[in-house]
Amino acid sequence: MGRQWLHAKKEVTANRRAQMTSKLVREIMVAAKMGVPDPAMNPRLSLAVEAARKQSVSNDVINRAIKKGSGQGDDAVNFELVTYEGMGPCNVPVIIECLTENRNRTAPDIRMLFKDAQFGSKVMFLFDHVGIVEATHPKAGQDLESAAIEAGAQDVEKLESAKEDESGGRFFTERTDMYPVAEALKKLGWSVTTAELGYRGKDPIDLPADDRARVAAFLERIDENDDVHRVYAALK
């Protein structure tokens, strides 16, 4: 689910960093469109701006993205969220969320990426639609279960990308509880990196190493598409 299938210590190339920045900026535009263009009054926008700053996105770029998303100026862009379903290699259910201004371009691109899999297979019923909050704590060895209970999350798992000298958790919440849980974690000393609605596999598949590597390579190819916002896989 989310990006847990990505290699935790994968080297970030210059091209990959540019793609990451593009997706962060796109999220800012969508957040600004869906609510008021003020991070102080728009929790989704606040978290998007915070995530962009952690990746060294400049304030000028952030401000331009907010203006574009909120319809200010001549270069305003109208992105929409489009969701695709399919069955990946080894029969792993996959849900893909795209942010695009042209679905007629995006759909064929995603279909092409599924050339060795089953694009369009209905798999939504194999996932729960939940709130997902990813956060880190500056001290290693934090009790994730206790933090989840105190913050009001339903479940938690270790965050693979956390550094060795810190704690990291992926907290799962009821959809309506996502932002309250994120705020509660902040008060407990956690740094929230993302808080968004997403999908969690009800019965994730456990694969041997070779098959898992094959599925991970497939998911990474999808994730590298510029229009792809999030990829969820029912994979352990």
Side-chain angles (χ1 to χ4, degrees):
M1 66 218 64
R3 279 165 163 66
Q4 72 177 61
W5 38 266
L6 286 174
H7 300 302
K9 297 184 179 180
K10 177 182 176 183
E11 181 181 358
V12 180
T13 64
N15 182 55
R16 181 67 177 171
R17 192 178 300 279
Q19 289 179 330
M20 185 184 304
T21 298
S22 175
K23 292 183 180 185
L24 288 168
V25 168
R26 194 170 297 185
E27 169 63 15
I28 290 173
M29 287 190 280
V30 172
K33 175 188 175 183
M34 295 180 67
V36 295
D38 182 356
M41 301 175 64
N42 183 335
R44 179 171 178 174
L45 179 58
S46 176
L47 287 168
V49 169
E50 185 177 347
R53 285 176 175 159
K54 288 180 179 177
Q55 295 298 326
S56 301
V57 179
S58 70
N59 285 332
D60 284 345
V61 171
I62 290 172
N63 290 333
R64 284 200 300 272
I66 293 174
K67 288 181 179 180
K68 282 185 179 181
S70 58
Q72 303 175 46
D74 297 331
D75 57 348
V77 180
N78 185 25
F79 285 106
E80 62 176 325
L81 181 66
V82 184
T83 303
Y84 301 100
E85 304 172 57
M87 196 71 75
C90 305
N91 292 319
V92 173
V94 178
I95 294 176
I96 303 163
E97 291 185 336
C98 295
L99 289 175
T100 178
E101 80 287 4
N102 183 358
R103 65 166 63 203
N104 291 329
R105 177 197 66 232
T106 303
D109 287 349
I110 300 302
R111 184 184 297 275
M112 181 62 66
L113 291 169
F114 268 81
K115 60 183 179 180
D116 298 324
Q118 302 172 46
F119 179 76
S121 296
K122 299 303 180 183
V123 300
M124 193 76 71
F125 70 96
L126 297 172
F127 292 81
D128 289 320
H129 197 198
V130 298
I132 304 174
V133 180
E134 294 187 356
T136 59
H137 195 283
K139 292 183 179 180
Q142 292 291 305
D143 187 332
L144 297 181
E145 294 288 346
S146 295
I149 292 172
E150 192 166 353
Q154 300 297 308
D155 198 4
V156 64
E157 64 186 21
K158 184 178 179 180
L159 189 64
E160 303 80 5
S161 59
K163 299 176 182 177
E164 292 183 0
D165 60 348
E166 66 182 12
S167 300
R170 183 179 292 108
F171 299 84
F172 299 97
T173 78
E174 298 289 347
R175 282 173 286 176
T176 54
D177 292 341
M178 181 179 63
Y179 289 125
V181 168
E183 290 302 315
L185 285 169
K186 289 181 181 180
K187 292 178 181 179
L188 293 172
W190 291 75
S191 176
V192 175
T193 54
T194 63
E196 58 194 6
L197 297 179
Y199 297 90
R200 187 186 191 191
K202 295 178 180 178
D203 189 17
I205 299 172
D206 192 8
L207 296 175
D210 289 348
D211 286 342
R212 184 178 177 83
R214 178 186 168 199
V215 174
F218 166 78
L219 295 172
E220 287 181 33
R221 285 197 302 271
I222 292 176
D223 186 61
E224 288 172 358
N225 181 279
D226 288 341
D227 291 338
V228 171
H229 182 57
R230 289 287 185 267
V231 183
Y232 302 96
L235 179 66
K236 285 187 179 179

